[in-house]
Amino acid sequence: MRDINQFTVTKAVKESFKTQPGSRFEQLLQGLIDHLHDYTREHNITHEEWMGVLNFLYDCGQISTPERHEFILLSDVLGFSALVDMINTKGGATEGSNLGPFYLDNSPRKALGSDLADNRDGVTVLVHGKVTDSLHNPLRGAIVDTWQADAAGTYPIQEQEKGQDKYDLRGVFETDAEGRYYYTTVLPKPYTVPYDGPVGDLLRAGNRHAWRAAHLHYMVRAPGMTSITTEVFFENTEYIDNDAVFGVRRSLIAKIQPMKDISALGFELEKEPDAMFEFDFVLAPEG
Ligand code: BEZ
Ligand code: FE
């Protein structure tokens, strides 16, 4: 390997790894080396630029904690997370979107019709819809796990030192015999992703803002179906066309409507809503 130069080094590095021929690991590693080396040659990367990238990654590691994963945030603002969500959305199913850092896997079970807001300020909205398969057959007993920010754009989990309960503004519902879920909550407001670290520096360097369009998070699952992780956004709201993490998709935008007579739906609601919207989730079969 003495007669190595900027063109033969790529092959030499690829051949240095003795991976299982044809394995996924081999494909991904060899592809990564190809792309990284091509990029480096194409842009004539200088020592200063090379060190800049490595120091940036070092800083991402330094600021990361179990609660703050700066590399995920980096993936989010580069659209990498969105791309993985898009590639992994199953045909016919609701499109996937950003998980974000605030999911808890043991949220409280709530009865259909519950209010998630516990007298918080804001517009009380009735959220309802169905969970179905791709042929519109309702899925009874599907689980709709939701979490969200409040009307100031804050997740209660971010304000535990101010006495907030981290399990507020979240809940796990089970669909009824018609595949329906329904509850009330406050409409969330936009908020910023953390921008006091290296990813914030990157956003500033690129003249970008850190705001996310207001959204509700969902994880929906049912036996025999592929679970989805997604978000629901609202028509004509701020940042809907320039969400900092590229989470918005046309199919995930709901239209908030004034309350109308819903007595025919037979919902028993804990709190009277000011407005409502409907959003159906579609799950594809497992496998
Ligand atoms: C969120 O939606 O909660 C979120 C997503 C990406 C970064 C920070 C927060
Ligand atoms: Fe969020």
Side-chain angles (χ1 to χ4, degrees), residues 111-117 123-130 144 146-148 169 173 179-188 215-218 231-234 254-257 259 262 265 267-269 271-281:
L112 291 172
S114 299
D115 182 55
L116 294 189
V123 176
T124 298
V125 67
L126 166 65
V127 186
H128 76 108
K130 284 188 175 180
V144 177
T146 183
W147 65 104
Q148 65 169 95
L169 283 178
F173 298 95
R180 301 185 306 181
Y181 73 95
Y182 49 95
Y183 64 96
T184 55
T185 189
V186 282
L187 273 182
H215 56 271
L216 302 173
H217 289 274
Y218 291 96
E231 303 175 282
V232 172
F233 300 84
F234 312 107
K255 188 170 182 178
I256 297 173
Q257 316 227 293
M259 271 318 285
I262 53 153
L265 295 174
F267 293 163
E268 271 190 36
L269 299 178
K271 186 159 184 206
E272 196 175 329
D274 307 313
M276 60 192 286
F277 77 84
E278 187 170 357
F279 192 88
D280 293 339
F281 296 100

Tab-separated table of all heavy atoms in Angstrom, residues 111-117 123-130 144 146-148 169 173 179-188 215-218 231-234 254-257 259 262 265 267-269 271-281:
chain	number	residue	atom	x	y	z
A	111	ALA	N	-59.240	7.589	29.268
A	111	ALA	CA	-60.508	7.156	28.673
A	111	ALA	C	-60.829	8.045	27.483
A	111	ALA	O	-60.488	9.247	27.493
A	111	ALA	CB	-61.615	7.260	29.710
A	112	LEU	N	-61.469	7.491	26.465
A	112	LEU	CA	-61.922	8.307	25.335
A	112	LEU	C	-62.773	9.450	25.878
A	112	LEU	O	-63.570	9.258	26.806
A	112	LEU	CB	-62.728	7.451	24.355
A	112	LEU	CG	-61.907	6.403	23.589
A	112	LEU	CD1	-62.818	5.466	22.796
A	112	LEU	CD2	-60.897	7.080	22.656
A	113	GLY	N	-62.606	10.636	25.316
A	113	GLY	CA	-63.376	11.800	25.768
A	113	GLY	C	-62.681	12.604	26.851
A	113	GLY	O	-63.145	13.677	27.237
A	114	SER	N	-61.529	12.120	27.353
A	114	SER	CA	-60.796	12.840	28.401
A	114	SER	C	-60.255	14.155	27.868
A	114	SER	O	-60.042	14.315	26.662
A	114	SER	CB	-59.587	12.027	28.874
A	114	SER	OG	-59.986	10.813	29.410
A	115	ASP	N	-59.984	15.055	28.810
A	115	ASP	CA	-59.298	16.294	28.456
A	115	ASP	C	-57.850	16.167	28.912
A	115	ASP	O	-57.587	15.791	30.055
A	115	ASP	CB	-59.966	17.482	29.150
A	115	ASP	CG	-59.299	18.780	28.763
A	115	ASP	OD1	-59.203	19.048	27.549
A	115	ASP	OD2	-58.852	19.517	29.666
A	116	LEU	N	-56.910	16.464	28.009
A	116	LEU	CA	-55.483	16.314	28.344
A	116	LEU	C	-54.895	17.573	28.979
A	116	LEU	O	-53.756	17.573	29.415
A	116	LEU	CB	-54.657	15.997	27.086
A	116	LEU	CG	-54.884	14.671	26.384
A	116	LEU	CD1	-53.824	14.473	25.304
A	116	LEU	CD2	-54.838	13.519	27.376
A	117	ALA	N	-55.677	18.681	28.977
A	117	ALA	CA	-55.066	19.979	29.281
A	117	ALA	C	-55.120	20.383	30.741
A	117	ALA	O	-54.407	21.322	31.137
A	117	ALA	CB	-55.725	21.051	28.429
A	123	VAL	N	-56.850	27.518	23.542
A	123	VAL	CA	-58.059	27.135	22.812
A	123	VAL	C	-58.256	25.637	23.010
A	123	VAL	O	-57.368	24.846	22.690
A	123	VAL	CB	-57.886	27.437	21.302
A	123	VAL	CG1	-59.089	26.950	20.509
A	123	VAL	CG2	-57.630	28.912	21.082
A	124	THR	N	-59.410	25.276	23.560
A	124	THR	CA	-59.690	23.837	23.742
A	124	THR	C	-60.220	23.272	22.439
A	124	THR	O	-61.187	23.778	21.875
A	124	THR	CB	-60.720	23.623	24.863
A	124	THR	OG1	-60.161	24.119	26.077
A	124	THR	CG2	-61.051	22.140	25.033
A	125	VAL	N	-59.558	22.240	21.969
A	125	VAL	CA	-59.934	21.671	20.678
A	125	VAL	C	-60.322	20.201	20.857
A	125	VAL	O	-59.698	19.479	21.651
A	125	VAL	CB	-58.765	21.858	19.666
A	125	VAL	CG1	-57.557	21.046	20.040
A	125	VAL	CG2	-59.192	21.523	18.277
A	126	LEU	N	-61.378	19.815	20.157
A	126	LEU	CA	-61.754	18.398	20.112
A	126	LEU	C	-60.954	17.754	18.985
A	126	LEU	O	-61.004	18.204	17.838
A	126	LEU	CB	-63.255	18.250	19.821
A	126	LEU	CG	-63.721	16.847	19.409
A	126	LEU	CD1	-63.545	15.834	20.542
A	126	LEU	CD2	-65.180	16.876	18.951
A	127	VAL	N	-60.213	16.726	19.322
A	127	VAL	CA	-59.432	15.979	18.328
A	127	VAL	C	-60.128	14.636	18.158
A	127	VAL	O	-60.335	13.933	19.152
A	127	VAL	CB	-57.989	15.740	18.833
A	127	VAL	CG1	-57.143	15.094	17.744
A	127	VAL	CG2	-57.356	17.026	19.322
A	128	HIS	N	-60.500	14.318	16.950
A	128	HIS	CA	-61.138	13.006	16.768
A	128	HIS	C	-60.837	12.435	15.394
A	128	HIS	O	-60.415	13.152	14.480
A	128	HIS	CB	-62.648	13.104	17.016
A	128	HIS	CG	-63.426	13.738	15.908
A	128	HIS	ND1	-64.251	13.030	15.081
A	128	HIS	CD2	-63.488	15.025	15.499
A	128	HIS	CE1	-64.813	13.856	14.216
A	128	HIS	NE2	-64.364	15.073	14.438
A	129	GLY	N	-61.029	11.143	15.274
A	129	GLY	CA	-60.784	10.486	14.002
A	129	GLY	C	-60.829	8.987	14.189
A	129	GLY	O	-61.240	8.497	15.244
A	130	LYS	N	-60.401	8.303	13.140
A	130	LYS	CA	-60.422	6.840	13.185
A	130	LYS	C	-59.029	6.289	12.933
A	130	LYS	O	-58.230	6.934	12.249
A	130	LYS	CB	-61.326	6.304	12.077
A	130	LYS	CG	-62.785	6.447	12.388
A	130	LYS	CD	-63.611	5.724	11.360
A	130	LYS	CE	-65.066	5.814	11.799
A	130	LYS	NZ	-65.989	5.175	10.917
A	144	VAL	N	-53.560	4.811	20.461
A	144	VAL	CA	-53.169	6.152	19.984
A	144	VAL	C	-52.460	6.838	21.153
A	144	VAL	O	-53.086	7.193	22.141
A	144	VAL	CB	-54.409	6.963	19.546
A	144	VAL	CG1	-54.012	8.374	19.116
A	144	VAL	CG2	-55.155	6.243	18.423
A	146	THR	N	-50.311	9.966	22.394
A	146	THR	CA	-50.080	11.336	21.937
A	146	THR	C	-49.346	12.159	22.988
A	146	THR	O	-49.484	11.898	24.189
A	146	THR	CB	-51.414	12.012	21.545
A	146	THR	OG1	-51.155	13.316	21.028
A	146	THR	CG2	-52.374	12.127	22.717
A	147	TRP	N	-48.562	13.137	22.529
A	147	TRP	CA	-47.884	14.065	23.438
A	147	TRP	C	-47.712	15.385	22.697
A	147	TRP	O	-47.672	15.433	21.464
A	147	TRP	CB	-46.569	13.508	23.957
A	147	TRP	CG	-45.470	13.276	22.960
A	147	TRP	CD1	-44.352	14.048	22.773
A	147	TRP	CD2	-45.355	12.191	22.015
A	147	TRP	NE1	-43.555	13.505	21.787
A	147	TRP	CE2	-44.151	12.374	21.306
A	147	TRP	CE3	-46.157	11.092	21.714
A	147	TRP	CZ2	-43.727	11.499	20.294
A	147	TRP	CZ3	-45.750	10.218	20.702
A	147	TRP	CH2	-44.550	10.420	20.017
A	148	GLN	N	-47.643	16.471	23.464
A	148	GLN	CA	-47.671	17.780	22.810
A	148	GLN	C	-47.161	18.888	23.725
A	148	GLN	O	-47.048	18.712	24.935
A	148	GLN	CB	-49.106	18.113	22.408
A	148	GLN	CG	-50.013	18.285	23.620
A	148	GLN	CD	-51.363	18.866	23.272
A	148	GLN	OE1	-52.326	18.115	23.077
A	148	GLN	NE2	-51.452	20.194	23.209
A	169	LEU	N	-50.246	16.694	29.458
A	169	LEU	CA	-50.390	16.923	28.012
A	169	LEU	C	-49.941	15.710	27.196
A	169	LEU	O	-49.334	15.848	26.124
A	169	LEU	CB	-49.640	18.182	27.566
A	169	LEU	CG	-50.344	19.491	27.904
A	169	LEU	CD1	-49.507	20.685	27.466
A	169	LEU	CD2	-51.723	19.563	27.259
A	173	PHE	N	-54.708	6.406	24.301
A	173	PHE	CA	-56.119	6.062	24.099
A	173	PHE	C	-56.232	4.748	23.347
A	173	PHE	O	-55.352	4.398	22.556
A	173	PHE	CB	-56.813	7.155	23.274
A	173	PHE	CG	-56.817	8.499	23.950
A	173	PHE	CD1	-55.825	9.444	23.669
A	173	PHE	CD2	-57.801	8.817	24.877
A	173	PHE	CE1	-55.817	10.674	24.311
A	173	PHE	CE2	-57.802	10.050	25.519
A	173	PHE	CZ	-56.803	10.976	25.234
A	179	GLY	N	-63.284	1.980	15.636
A	179	GLY	CA	-61.931	2.441	15.362
A	179	GLY	C	-61.729	3.907	15.718
A	179	GLY	O	-60.746	4.526	15.329
A	180	ARG	N	-62.669	4.487	16.502
A	180	ARG	CA	-62.586	5.930	16.777
A	180	ARG	C	-61.735	6.255	18.008
A	180	ARG	O	-61.712	5.494	18.979
A	180	ARG	CB	-63.989	6.494	17.020
A	180	ARG	CG	-64.926	6.283	15.855
A	180	ARG	CD	-66.247	6.971	16.100
A	180	ARG	NE	-66.863	6.578	17.358
A	180	ARG	CZ	-68.037	7.043	17.787
A	180	ARG	NH1	-68.706	7.915	17.061
A	180	ARG	NH2	-68.538	6.642	18.940
A	181	TYR	N	-61.077	7.394	17.948
A	181	TYR	CA	-60.444	7.978	19.139
A	181	TYR	C	-60.961	9.405	19.233
A	181	TYR	O	-61.297	10.030	18.209
A	181	TYR	CB	-58.903	7.935	19.035
A	181	TYR	CG	-58.358	8.934	18.045
A	181	TYR	CD1	-57.917	10.197	18.460
A	181	TYR	CD2	-58.328	8.653	16.676
A	181	TYR	CE1	-57.453	11.121	17.545
A	181	TYR	CE2	-57.869	9.583	15.765
A	181	TYR	CZ	-57.433	10.823	16.212
A	181	TYR	OH	-56.996	11.756	15.312
A	182	TYR	N	-61.083	9.937	20.418
A	182	TYR	CA	-61.512	11.332	20.595
A	182	TYR	C	-61.139	11.811	21.988
A	182	TYR	O	-61.198	11.047	22.953
A	182	TYR	CB	-63.020	11.513	20.333
A	182	TYR	CG	-63.921	10.540	21.035
A	182	TYR	CD1	-64.509	10.869	22.267
A	182	TYR	CD2	-64.183	9.294	20.492
A	182	TYR	CE1	-65.341	9.973	22.919
A	182	TYR	CE2	-65.013	8.389	21.150
A	182	TYR	CZ	-65.577	8.731	22.359
A	182	TYR	OH	-66.381	7.827	23.005
A	183	TYR	N	-60.709	13.051	22.043
A	183	TYR	CA	-60.326	13.673	23.312
A	183	TYR	C	-60.270	15.174	23.102
A	183	TYR	O	-60.352	15.649	21.962
A	183	TYR	CB	-58.965	13.131	23.802
A	183	TYR	CG	-57.782	13.463	22.905
A	183	TYR	CD1	-56.968	14.564	23.167
A	183	TYR	CD2	-57.482	12.684	21.787
A	183	TYR	CE1	-55.884	14.866	22.348
A	183	TYR	CE2	-56.405	12.979	20.966
A	183	TYR	CZ	-55.612	14.077	21.249
A	183	TYR	OH	-54.550	14.379	20.432
A	184	THR	N	-60.162	15.913	24.180
A	184	THR	CA	-59.942	17.352	24.035
A	184	THR	C	-58.572	17.705	24.603
A	184	THR	O	-58.029	16.997	25.452
A	184	THR	CB	-61.031	18.177	24.769
A	184	THR	OG1	-61.078	17.772	26.133
A	184	THR	CG2	-62.394	18.011	24.118
A	185	THR	N	-58.051	18.831	24.111
A	185	THR	CA	-56.754	19.324	24.587
A	185	THR	C	-56.644	20.797	24.222
A	185	THR	O	-57.566	21.353	23.629
A	185	THR	CB	-55.602	18.499	23.977
A	185	THR	OG1	-54.387	18.886	24.623
A	185	THR	CG2	-55.467	18.687	22.475
A	186	VAL	N	-55.530	21.449	24.591
A	186	VAL	CA	-55.325	22.825	24.117
A	186	VAL	C	-54.505	22.781	22.837
A	186	VAL	O	-53.647	21.897	22.662
A	186	VAL	CB	-54.583	23.730	25.132
A	186	VAL	CG1	-55.504	24.191	26.229
A	186	VAL	CG2	-53.333	23.076	25.663
A	187	LEU	N	-54.753	23.743	21.968
A	187	LEU	CA	-53.950	23.832	20.748
A	187	LEU	C	-52.544	24.252	21.126
A	187	LEU	O	-52.359	25.235	21.846
A	187	LEU	CB	-54.545	24.885	19.812
A	187	LEU	CG	-55.637	24.431	18.862
A	187	LEU	CD1	-56.072	25.592	17.993
A	187	LEU	CD2	-55.174	23.260	18.003
A	188	PRO	N	-51.541	23.512	20.655
A	188	PRO	CA	-50.148	23.893	20.965
A	188	PRO	C	-49.706	25.083	20.119
A	188	PRO	O	-50.334	25.378	19.102
A	188	PRO	CB	-49.361	22.651	20.587
A	188	PRO	CG	-50.174	21.990	19.525
A	188	PRO	CD	-51.624	22.321	19.808
A	215	HIS	N	-47.569	21.485	16.446
A	215	HIS	CA	-47.931	20.113	16.058
A	215	HIS	C	-48.333	19.293	17.274
A	215	HIS	O	-48.009	19.637	18.413
A	215	HIS	CB	-46.737	19.429	15.367
A	215	HIS	CG	-45.512	19.438	16.217
A	215	HIS	ND1	-44.606	20.467	16.191
A	215	HIS	CD2	-45.063	18.571	17.173
A	215	HIS	CE1	-43.651	20.232	17.067
A	215	HIS	NE2	-43.899	19.097	17.689
A	216	LEU	N	-48.998	18.205	16.998
A	216	LEU	CA	-49.285	17.170	18.002
A	216	LEU	C	-48.510	15.933	17.575
A	216	LEU	O	-48.467	15.615	16.380
A	216	LEU	CB	-50.784	16.842	18.023
A	216	LEU	CG	-51.735	18.014	18.304
A	216	LEU	CD1	-53.183	17.572	18.113
A	216	LEU	CD2	-51.540	18.534	19.725
A	217	HIS	N	-47.909	15.257	18.535
A	217	HIS	CA	-47.170	14.018	18.212
A	217	HIS	C	-48.068	12.798	18.419
A	217	HIS	O	-48.865	12.774	19.368
A	217	HIS	CB	-45.977	13.839	19.154
A	217	HIS	CG	-44.855	14.791	18.921
A	217	HIS	ND1	-43.868	14.550	17.999
A	217	HIS	CD2	-44.542	15.967	19.506
A	217	HIS	CE1	-42.994	15.541	18.036
A	217	HIS	NE2	-43.378	16.414	18.939
A	218	TYR	N	-47.863	11.797	17.580
A	218	TYR	CA	-48.618	10.542	17.719
A	218	TYR	C	-47.744	9.330	17.446
A	218	TYR	O	-46.892	9.358	16.542
A	218	TYR	CB	-49.784	10.487	16.719
A	218	TYR	CG	-50.871	11.471	17.047
A	218	TYR	CD1	-50.899	12.722	16.428
A	218	TYR	CD2	-51.847	11.171	17.987
A	218	TYR	CE1	-51.887	13.646	16.752
A	218	TYR	CE2	-52.827	12.077	18.312
A	218	TYR	CZ	-52.843	13.309	17.697
A	218	TYR	OH	-53.805	14.219	18.022
A	231	GLU	N	-46.762	13.219	13.167
A	231	GLU	CA	-47.171	14.479	13.775
A	231	GLU	C	-48.334	15.021	12.962
A	231	GLU	O	-48.411	14.786	11.755
A	231	GLU	CB	-46.040	15.503	13.721
A	231	GLU	CG	-44.765	15.050	14.372
A	231	GLU	CD	-43.647	16.065	14.170
A	231	GLU	OE1	-43.056	16.111	13.084
A	231	GLU	OE2	-43.376	16.817	15.101
A	232	VAL	N	-49.193	15.783	13.623
A	232	VAL	CA	-50.289	16.462	12.926
A	232	VAL	C	-50.085	17.964	13.086
A	232	VAL	O	-49.806	18.446	14.192
A	232	VAL	CB	-51.656	16.006	13.487
A	232	VAL	CG1	-52.786	16.856	12.915
A	232	VAL	CG2	-51.896	14.533	13.152
A	233	PHE	N	-50.173	18.673	11.974
A	233	PHE	CA	-49.973	20.128	11.942
A	233	PHE	C	-51.306	20.797	11.615
A	233	PHE	O	-52.284	20.113	11.311
A	233	PHE	CB	-48.928	20.467	10.872
A	233	PHE	CG	-47.596	19.812	11.126
A	233	PHE	CD1	-47.348	18.502	10.710
A	233	PHE	CD2	-46.594	20.488	11.801
A	233	PHE	CE1	-46.134	17.885	10.954
A	233	PHE	CE2	-45.367	19.875	12.055
A	233	PHE	CZ	-45.144	18.577	11.632
A	234	PHE	N	-51.319	22.125	11.606
A	234	PHE	CA	-52.575	22.848	11.401
A	234	PHE	C	-52.438	23.826	10.240
A	234	PHE	O	-51.446	24.562	10.156
A	234	PHE	CB	-52.968	23.585	12.686
A	234	PHE	CG	-52.870	22.699	13.887
A	234	PHE	CD1	-51.851	22.864	14.810
A	234	PHE	CD2	-53.751	21.642	14.052
A	234	PHE	CE1	-51.718	22.015	15.888
A	234	PHE	CE2	-53.628	20.779	15.121
A	234	PHE	CZ	-52.613	20.961	16.051
A	254	ALA	N	-54.031	19.265	9.330
A	254	ALA	CA	-55.468	19.200	9.631
A	254	ALA	C	-56.059	20.609	9.597
A	254	ALA	O	-55.350	21.599	9.794
A	254	ALA	CB	-55.672	18.598	11.014
A	255	LYS	N	-57.369	20.670	9.354
A	255	LYS	CA	-58.046	21.957	9.288
A	255	LYS	C	-58.881	22.122	10.557
A	255	LYS	O	-59.791	21.326	10.814
A	255	LYS	CB	-58.934	21.971	8.052
A	255	LYS	CG	-59.527	23.309	7.798
A	255	LYS	CD	-60.192	23.351	6.459
A	255	LYS	CE	-60.719	24.772	6.292
A	255	LYS	NZ	-61.330	25.057	5.097
A	256	ILE	N	-58.563	23.153	11.321
A	256	ILE	CA	-59.338	23.392	12.544
A	256	ILE	C	-60.644	24.075	12.156
A	256	ILE	O	-60.642	25.020	11.362
A	256	ILE	CB	-58.526	24.254	13.529
A	256	ILE	CG1	-57.288	23.472	13.912
A	256	ILE	CG2	-59.354	24.608	14.756
A	256	ILE	CD1	-56.310	24.207	14.735
A	257	GLN	N	-61.743	23.569	12.701
A	257	GLN	CA	-63.062	24.092	12.341
A	257	GLN	C	-63.769	24.575	13.597
A	257	GLN	O	-63.515	24.060	14.690
A	257	GLN	CB	-63.898	22.977	11.741
A	257	GLN	CG	-63.108	22.158	10.751
A	257	GLN	CD	-63.843	21.923	9.481
A	257	GLN	OE1	-64.810	21.241	9.507
A	257	GLN	NE2	-63.381	22.484	8.388
A	259	MET	N	-66.720	24.738	16.291
A	259	MET	CA	-67.536	23.628	16.802
A	259	MET	C	-68.874	23.595	16.087
A	259	MET	O	-69.475	24.615	15.841
A	259	MET	CB	-67.805	23.810	18.300
A	259	MET	CG	-66.780	23.220	19.218
A	259	MET	SD	-66.157	21.604	18.759
A	259	MET	CE	-67.501	20.523	19.184
A	262	ILE	N	-72.245	18.026	17.326
A	262	ILE	CA	-71.637	16.696	17.152
A	262	ILE	C	-72.414	15.643	17.931
A	262	ILE	O	-71.917	14.554	18.175
A	262	ILE	CB	-70.153	16.700	17.589
A	262	ILE	CG1	-70.009	17.242	19.010
A	262	ILE	CG2	-69.276	17.451	16.613
A	262	ILE	CD1	-68.802	16.725	19.727
A	265	LEU	N	-72.466	12.073	16.951
A	265	LEU	CA	-71.275	11.225	17.125
A	265	LEU	C	-71.302	10.469	18.454
A	265	LEU	O	-70.574	9.491	18.643
A	265	LEU	CB	-70.000	12.083	17.045
A	265	LEU	CG	-69.717	12.743	15.689
A	265	LEU	CD1	-68.520	13.678	15.778
A	265	LEU	CD2	-69.471	11.679	14.632
A	267	PHE	N	-70.184	11.361	21.400
A	267	PHE	CA	-68.987	11.465	22.251
A	267	PHE	C	-69.376	11.958	23.642
A	267	PHE	O	-70.143	12.892	23.773
A	267	PHE	CB	-67.999	12.499	21.679
A	267	PHE	CG	-67.369	12.123	20.373
A	267	PHE	CD1	-66.759	13.099	19.590
A	267	PHE	CD2	-67.361	10.810	19.913
A	267	PHE	CE1	-66.165	12.782	18.391
A	267	PHE	CE2	-66.762	10.488	18.703
A	267	PHE	CZ	-66.169	11.476	17.946
A	268	GLU	N	-68.800	11.372	24.654
A	268	GLU	CA	-68.941	11.933	26.002
A	268	GLU	C	-67.641	12.640	26.316
A	268	GLU	O	-66.598	11.994	26.443
A	268	GLU	CB	-69.177	10.823	27.011
A	268	GLU	CG	-70.642	10.527	27.160
A	268	GLU	CD	-70.918	9.607	28.325
A	268	GLU	OE1	-70.233	9.723	29.355
A	268	GLU	OE2	-71.799	8.758	28.160
A	269	LEU	N	-67.708	13.973	26.416
A	269	LEU	CA	-66.479	14.747	26.589
A	269	LEU	C	-66.381	15.312	27.996
A	269	LEU	O	-67.373	15.780	28.555
A	269	LEU	CB	-66.437	15.902	25.578
A	269	LEU	CG	-66.445	15.499	24.101
A	269	LEU	CD1	-66.457	16.737	23.213
A	269	LEU	CD2	-65.251	14.617	23.770
A	271	LYS	N	-64.571	17.944	28.732
A	271	LYS	CA	-64.526	19.408	28.665
A	271	LYS	C	-65.153	19.882	27.373
A	271	LYS	O	-64.981	19.235	26.325
A	271	LYS	CB	-63.068	19.873	28.738
A	271	LYS	CG	-62.941	21.357	28.811
A	271	LYS	CD	-61.622	21.797	29.384
A	271	LYS	CE	-61.624	23.299	29.519
A	271	LYS	NZ	-60.286	23.853	29.476
A	272	GLU	N	-65.840	21.020	27.446
A	272	GLU	CA	-66.487	21.540	26.238
A	272	GLU	C	-65.456	22.221	25.337
A	272	GLU	O	-64.751	23.124	25.779
A	272	GLU	CB	-67.565	22.540	26.632
A	272	GLU	CG	-68.496	22.809	25.482
A	272	GLU	CD	-69.651	23.716	25.906
A	272	GLU	OE1	-70.042	23.631	27.089
A	272	GLU	OE2	-70.089	24.495	25.059
A	273	PRO	N	-65.370	21.801	24.071
A	273	PRO	CA	-64.347	22.382	23.190
A	273	PRO	C	-64.782	23.684	22.530
A	273	PRO	O	-65.983	23.944	22.393
A	273	PRO	CB	-64.159	21.302	22.121
A	273	PRO	CG	-65.250	20.306	22.308
A	273	PRO	CD	-66.089	20.673	23.469
A	274	ASP	N	-63.776	24.495	22.111
A	274	ASP	CA	-64.036	25.736	21.371
A	274	ASP	C	-63.990	25.474	19.867
A	274	ASP	O	-64.520	26.237	19.085
A	274	ASP	CB	-62.940	26.787	21.667
A	274	ASP	CG	-62.748	27.024	23.159
A	274	ASP	OD1	-63.771	27.200	23.841
A	274	ASP	OD2	-61.589	27.017	23.628
A	275	ALA	N	-63.265	24.455	19.468
A	275	ALA	CA	-63.046	24.179	18.045
A	275	ALA	C	-62.782	22.694	17.891
A	275	ALA	O	-62.689	21.972	18.905
A	275	ALA	CB	-61.857	24.994	17.538
A	276	MET	N	-62.662	22.237	16.669
A	276	MET	CA	-62.444	20.793	16.479
A	276	MET	C	-61.663	20.517	15.199
A	276	MET	O	-61.618	21.358	14.297
A	276	MET	CB	-63.798	20.073	16.406
A	276	MET	CG	-64.693	20.538	15.287
A	276	MET	SD	-66.375	19.903	15.482
A	276	MET	CE	-66.117	18.205	15.019
A	277	PHE	N	-61.061	19.364	15.146
A	277	PHE	CA	-60.536	18.878	13.869
A	277	PHE	C	-60.541	17.359	13.876
A	277	PHE	O	-60.598	16.717	14.933
A	277	PHE	CB	-59.159	19.458	13.535
A	277	PHE	CG	-58.014	18.841	14.277
A	277	PHE	CD1	-57.401	17.676	13.841
A	277	PHE	CD2	-57.515	19.453	15.419
A	277	PHE	CE1	-56.340	17.118	14.524
A	277	PHE	CE2	-56.445	18.900	16.107
A	277	PHE	CZ	-55.862	17.726	15.658
A	278	GLU	N	-60.507	16.832	12.655
A	278	GLU	CA	-60.602	15.382	12.481
A	278	GLU	C	-59.336	14.925	11.775
A	278	GLU	O	-58.894	15.571	10.819
A	278	GLU	CB	-61.836	15.098	11.612
A	278	GLU	CG	-62.166	13.659	11.473
A	278	GLU	CD	-63.535	13.453	10.797
A	278	GLU	OE1	-64.227	14.447	10.491
A	278	GLU	OE2	-63.866	12.285	10.577
A	279	PHE	N	-58.778	13.813	12.245
A	279	PHE	CA	-57.607	13.266	11.563
A	279	PHE	C	-57.641	11.743	11.684
A	279	PHE	O	-57.712	11.203	12.787
A	279	PHE	CB	-56.296	13.811	12.159
A	279	PHE	CG	-55.116	13.483	11.306
A	279	PHE	CD1	-54.735	14.333	10.280
A	279	PHE	CD2	-54.415	12.291	11.490
A	279	PHE	CE1	-53.663	14.009	9.451
A	279	PHE	CE2	-53.349	11.957	10.659
A	279	PHE	CZ	-52.974	12.817	9.642
A	280	ASP	N	-57.626	11.086	10.550
A	280	ASP	CA	-57.634	9.612	10.537
A	280	ASP	C	-56.216	9.070	10.369
A	280	ASP	O	-55.427	9.631	9.599
A	280	ASP	CB	-58.490	9.095	9.381
A	280	ASP	CG	-59.964	9.414	9.577
A	280	ASP	OD1	-60.377	9.652	10.726
A	280	ASP	OD2	-60.696	9.446	8.568
A	281	PHE	N	-55.920	8.012	11.057
A	281	PHE	CA	-54.622	7.336	10.913
A	281	PHE	C	-54.835	6.029	10.156
A	281	PHE	O	-55.764	5.283	10.468
A	281	PHE	CB	-54.014	7.018	12.283
A	281	PHE	CG	-53.690	8.238	13.091
A	281	PHE	CD1	-54.531	8.672	14.098
A	281	PHE	CD2	-52.534	8.965	12.824
A	281	PHE	CE1	-54.231	9.799	14.841
A	281	PHE	CE2	-52.221	10.106	13.558
A	281	PHE	CZ	-53.077	10.520	14.576
